[in-house]
Amino acid sequence: MKKIFMLAILLVSLGGYAQKKYNGKVVDTYNNPLQNATIQLQSNLKNTVVTDKDGKFSITTLQDKPIAIIRYVGYVTRTQELFTKENNITLTLNEERLKEVVVSGSREVQQRSDVPASISVITTKQIEEAKAIGIDQLVNNVPGVLMSTSRAASNEQHFMSVRSPISTKSLFLYLEDGLPIRPTAVFNHNTLLEMNDISYDRMEVIKGPASSIYGSESIGGSFNFITKQPTRDLSGGVTYQVNDLGLSKYSLELSQYASEKVGFYIGAQYVQRKDGPVEHSNYEKFALTFKNVNHLSQTLNWTNVFDIIEYRSDMSGSISEEDYSAGNYESDQTFTEREAVAFRVRSTLDKHWNSNNKTTLNLVFRRNVMDQIPSYRVSQFRENGRLTGAAKGEINSNSYNSYVSLIQHKINFNFASSSLIIGASVDYSPQSYNAENISVTVDTNTGKNVSYITNSGDYILNYNADILNYANYFQFEINPTENVKLTASVRYDGFDYNYNNLIDGLAGPKDSKNNYNNISPKLGINYNLNKSIGLYANYSNGFTPPQTSTLYRNSFVGVGGDVFNLKPSNYDNFELGTYFKIGNKLQTDAAIYLLDGKNTLVTLRDDEDNFFNANAGKTRSYGVEYGVTYNPTKEITITHNGSYAKHRYVSFFDGGVDYSDTDRETAPKLLGTSKIAYKPSLVKGLMLSLTHEMVGKYNTSFENQVKNSDDTFGTATYKGHNIFNALVSYNIKNCEIWVNALNIFDDLYAARASYNKYRGANSYTIGNPRAFHLGIKYNF
């Protein structure tokens, strides 16, 4: 009996010794723990455990290095070998669910249904399938967004309209991984020139003010470009693109985890255009992005991103009404150009203290130099309406260093699914700017500006300006009931400009210190009837302080005078929206809004054809935006995104003329993009699509600004346009090939038209003629 007892003890001991425990943690790509994820052993499906609130799990088995199946609702199922050491498992979102998850609402991952704002997601799959030539072909699929560019005369330079007229105003904020690409008050509209579009995994667009989280300039819309994450196994691709507008593009991507805890991504591209349809419209661009992700522990991530951009382009400018009507794409500019070198580095630490507390620290350094001879600053001289052969212009240079620190902490409370986000940031950006006059020679026969001489020492401006932006913010969310979420947030921003004129008494206003501040609140509510239908409403405030270049250039008091008193623009937004889907067939997103502006900044021309900026009193924009996606079959997808809006001057005077209660210029009422895509099941990898882009008629001048030949007054207009583009793409094994046909009916249209009161006619930024764009990519 004793022997049997001892044998039983021995067997139990051996059995206990053979059992092995495997511990680990399941997180998403942002290192957020995933509670209730399922871990199931492939050899014994009954051996299953779930993760706790910290994403942690422990599972035992007799096996060595068992294969586990990891599942979580809304995420891609993963199979992974387990080790006796800690197993860090990262799950990625299922592409079909990506539109339901966003980070732009609060810099934290959350459900789209929890954000009381009009927000759209452009997913990885949509980017890959679009084969877009530029970012505009992606974001124009968002209701109410118009990014307008000319591939014939432009070179990644663009105009933008989101709840506002078509312009280059600082009403839009461009972010990379939730952080502004450019500092406040340093002309952020050039931002897209300094981006590497191949490095973006997805894009999120918030329409309306987002100042309560992101600060100034996020008025009409905020565009958050989220960079690609390293892949566990080696992946990447080589791409070549070419078109008959003179453009060629080469790109390379590589991605891999070098170990379980260290991953890398690198994406580089070189773009050039030569001999396009518009003479003197060449450009070259090199862009490199390097990303490094380090999982220092189960609760600590360290991410580093480096961007280097070198850019040079001719600036062909706009063309006259006569040339536009004749279909003449030639520009008057022969020497105007822009050069930019941009460098950015970001280092981010994400620390999960426990399941309820997370801290994120971002440190950013930016370095930027931009030199240009701008086409929009060249003014030709006339006598009795005829060219004299002379003109004036300028050559200028702007550079800055920028040092940014942003810290954010999120607390999850154990009642009513509530949470609090608190954050603070400091952005110190010293910059220098100088501009000198140039004398231009004009060919009176052709009207072309053929050469120039720099008037060395004849300064328009030469200054240093230190910009300090400091801010703190908080956002509180709570679910008083299961279907209702309330959101309240507020942000305080302070701005200190320290302007030092380096040529006192020669040009420019006297030294000045300018201070601005703003409090931006937001209140919102989401009511989700079920998983398929939701409503939201919000009030939000947005603002933008004067840009330094316009503030110190807009001095009408003469040399050494006080700085012209431009005021910050301030906006109040009221919005009501809904989103719903019916199975996998139909998905709709719609919103109505009212955006009231105070001290809106507008660009005007004086009697000598010089541009200047002024506050426009009060403005009002209101309208409806809607997007519909319909899948009648698995092979066909039909989308339509559109908007109807009105943009009005409520109170505004120019040159003693009252333009109150009139429509604003360059403000189309109708915008729309429709697309039908067909993926035949009989030919796997083939996709055909046809896209229609519509811009409605709009005024190019103030109402009744134009004096007619019979001494009556009228309004200059642009009739709008309808453009059709087509795409054929085919994927076979590791290869992709595609052809984009642009403007397939070869219609004459303008990317933007505006009235030149000095010439008494419209000026046009020409759209592209019919063109074909070929792309080839090899994936490995």
Side-chain angles (χ1 to χ4, degrees), residues 234-253:
L234 178 64
S235 66
V238 180
T239 307
Y240 171 67
Q241 300 179 64
V242 65
N243 67 29
D244 54 1
L245 297 175
L247 180 137
S248 57
K249 179 177 181 178
Y250 311 82
S251 59
L252 170 68
E253 291 183 276

Side-chain angles (χ1 to χ4, degrees), residues 150 152-157 193 272-276 278-285 311-318 331 333-340 371-376:
S150 166
S154 184
N155 24 50
E156 298 188 32
Q157 300 175 71
L193 305 181
Q272 67 172 353
R273 187 181 63 203
K274 291 183 177 180
D275 303 324
V278 176
E279 190 178 8
H280 303 291
S281 62
N282 296 344
Y283 88 104
E284 306 87 39
K285 176 178 178 179
Y311 174 91
R312 194 218 68 85
S313 73
D314 295 336
M315 293 180 68
S316 56
S318 58
S331 169
Q333 312 297 342
T334 63
F335 54 79
T336 51
E337 66 173 351
R338 172 177 287 156
E339 293 186 30
D371 302 321
Q372 59 178 0
I373 306 174
S375 58
Y376 55 83

Side-chain angles (χ1 to χ4, degrees), residues 151-332:
R151 294 182 181 84
S154 184
N155 24 50
E156 298 188 32
Q157 300 175 71
H158 70 284
F159 304 95
M160 183 68 78
S161 171
V162 188
R163 300 187 177 181
S164 62
I166 304 170
S167 73
T168 58
K169 290 289 181 293
S170 297
L171 299 174
F172 316 104
L173 188 62
Y174 303 100
L175 307 140
E176 186 174 85
D177 295 330
L179 295 168
I181 295 175
R182 269 189 164 225
T184 294
V186 185
F187 195 60
N188 77 348
H189 197 77
N190 286 328
T191 297
L192 296 189
L193 305 181
E194 301 159 12
M195 294 169 53
N196 184 8
D197 57 353
I198 69 168
S199 69
Y200 299 128
D201 185 54
R202 63 200 301 255
M203 304 175 191
E204 297 178 0
V205 181
I206 300 178
K207 288 168 290 180
S211 293
S212 62
I213 287 291
Y214 292 112
S216 68
E217 298 175 340
S218 53
I219 309 299
S222 301
F223 299 80
N224 191 9
F225 300 88
I226 300 169
T227 55
K228 294 177 180 176
Q229 293 281 20
T231 54
R232 285 292 167 182
D233 300 318
L234 178 64
S235 66
V238 180
T239 307
Y240 171 67
Q241 300 179 64
V242 65
N243 67 29
D244 54 1
L245 297 175
L247 180 137
S248 57
K249 179 177 181 178
Y250 311 82
S251 59
L252 170 68
E253 291 183 276
L254 293 170
S255 180
Q256 186 181 25
Y257 265 79
S259 66
E260 187 67 23
K261 294 186 177 182
V262 180
F264 299 94
Y265 165 84
I266 185 169
Q269 64 169 309
Y270 175 72
V271 189
Q272 67 172 353
R273 187 181 63 203
K274 291 183 177 180
D275 303 324
V278 176
E279 190 178 8
H280 303 291
S281 62
N282 296 344
Y283 88 104
E284 306 87 39
K285 176 178 178 179
F286 171 76
L288 172 69
T289 298
F290 175 78
K291 185 172 187 177
N292 161 237
V293 175
N294 306 276
H295 304 289
L296 302 181
S297 71
Q298 287 190 349
T299 62
L300 182 62
N301 268 11
W302 181 30
T303 302
N304 302 287
V305 180
F306 302 83
D307 289 296
I308 300 174
I309 312 293
E310 292 185 357
Y311 174 91
R312 194 218 68 85
S313 73
D314 295 336
M315 293 180 68
S316 56
S318 58
I319 65 174
S320 67
E321 177 125 32
E322 181 181 0
D323 286 341
Y324 175 78
S325 299
N328 178 10
Y329 284 71
E330 292 304 314
S331 169
D332 293 340

